[in-house]
Amino acid sequence: MAAQKVNLVLAARRKEPMEKLATELRQKYGVEIVVEPIDLAAPGAAARLKSSLDDQSLQIDILVNNAGYGLHGDFLDTPLERTTDMIQLNITAVTELSFIFGQDMAARGSGQILLIASILSFQPVPGFAAYAATKSYVLSFGEALHDELRPRGVTVTCLCPGHTETGFDSAASAPVSPMLRILTMKPRPVAKGGLHALSQGKASVVAGFMNKIIIFSNRLTPRSMQRAVMKSATGG
C-alpha cells in the first residue's frame, strides 16, 4: 500500500517493530506513517484507537483487519483463557473495528474494509477447532457486510489465505506437514491479491490457484472427508 503512495496508520502491540517499518516506508516511498501501539485484543481497544485518531484529525479510508492468531491442539488440552483471548481478537475486535470505522465510511459514502479470513473458514478443522470457527465467522460476517454496506458506498472484501510464510506457525505452536510446505505462499502475493479483490469490489477471494482448487473440491466431498483431509494436512 505504501508503494501506491497510501499514507498508513500501523496499529499493533509492539511499538519498536512498527517504528522500524514506518521509518523504512517513509524513506522508501515518501508516505506519512502514524504508529499506534495498542493491544487490539483488549476490551474497548477499537474505541480507544478511533479516539486517538480523531484527536489527530486522521480519517481512515481503508481499514485492513489483519490482527489475529491461531491456536493448534485439541480444544480440551488448550487453556480456556488462551482460546477466549483468541476469540476476543479474531472476532470481537474485528467486529468492533468494522462497526466503528464503518460508521464513518458510511456517513461519508465511501470507504473500504478488508477482512482476513482463511481457507479454514470453509470447513471444520480438528486441531484448529476454535481458530477455524473464528475465521468462519469472519467470512460469513464480511460477505454479509459486503451486501449491507455496498449501497452506502463502502466496499467490504474477505481475503481467504491458505498457509502463508509468516509467524503464524510459531505463534500457534503448529507443525508444518509436507503437504502444507508444498502449498505455502509468500506474504506479498497474498496481500496483493487481497488488495486487488478489494479494488475490484469483490465480496471474497481465495489466495492462490491451488487453494482455490481445494476450496472448490469442498463442494464435491462430504464434510466427514473434509475433516479427515484437514486433520491430516494441519497435523490435527
Side-chain angles (χ1 to χ4, degrees):
M1 295 177 74
Q4 298 171 12
K5 301 301 180 182
V6 176
N7 297 324
L8 301 172
V9 173
L10 305 180
R13 288 179 302 166
R14 294 181 296 161
K15 181 178 181 179
E16 290 75 14
M18 290 193 296
E19 290 286 8
K20 180 181 178 182
L21 176 60
T23 299
E24 293 173 356
L25 295 177
R26 292 186 190 109
Q27 293 174 349
K28 188 171 184 179
Y29 299 111
V31 294
E32 297 180 19
I33 312 287
V34 173
V35 171
E36 287 284 332
I38 189 169
D39 182 1
L40 292 171
R48 289 193 294 274
L49 176 60
K50 180 65 164 58
S51 177
S52 177
L53 298 180
D54 286 347
D55 289 344
Q56 300 171 71
S57 300
L58 293 175
Q59 173 181 297
I60 300 301
D61 300 310
I62 305 171
L63 171 66
V64 180
N65 269 318
N66 190 49
Y69 67 93
L71 292 174
H72 179 266
D74 287 352
F75 173 68
L76 293 182
D77 294 336
T78 304
L80 182 59
E81 294 79 9
R82 296 190 67 199
T83 300
T84 54
D85 284 348
M86 180 186 68
I87 292 171
Q88 172 71 26
L89 181 59
N90 292 8
I91 292 181
T92 305
V94 167
T95 304
E96 292 177 345
L97 288 164
S98 299
F99 180 85
I100 291 172
F101 289 99
Q103 279 189 318
D104 275 5
M105 294 177 184
R108 295 194 303 267
S110 66
Q112 297 176 311
I113 299 175
L114 182 64
L115 305 181
I116 312 303
S118 167
I119 64 169
L120 302 190
S121 305
F122 293 89
Q123 68 279 304
V125 184
F128 278 107
Y131 171 74
T134 66
K135 291 304 181 178
S136 293
Y137 172 88
V138 173
L139 178 59
S140 179
F141 174 66
E143 289 189 334
L145 285 189
H146 175 83
D147 284 3
E148 285 189 17
L149 298 186
R150 181 170 50 185
R152 304 177 72 173
V154 181
T155 300
V156 181
T157 299
C158 268
L159 168 62
C160 299
H163 191 254
T164 307
E165 197 174 273
T166 66
F168 177 89
D169 298 319
S170 58
S173 300
V176 181
S177 68
M179 183 186 302
L180 281 185
R181 292 188 189 282
I182 294 172
L183 296 172
T184 300
M185 293 183 65
K186 297 287 186 180
R188 184 171 293 274
V190 174
K192 288 180 67 174
L195 291 172
H196 178 71
L198 182 65
S199 70
Q200 296 294 307
K202 294 183 178 180
S204 61
V205 61
V206 175
F209 178 72
M210 288 304 299
N211 290 325
K212 286 181 171 66
I213 292 177
I214 291 170
I215 297 309
F216 179 80
S217 70
N218 281 354
R219 303 179 184 181
L220 310 176
T221 57
R223 289 176 69 82
S224 59
M225 183 180 295
Q226 295 172 25
R227 293 195 303 272
V229 170
M230 295 308 297
K231 183 175 183 178
S232 174
T234 62

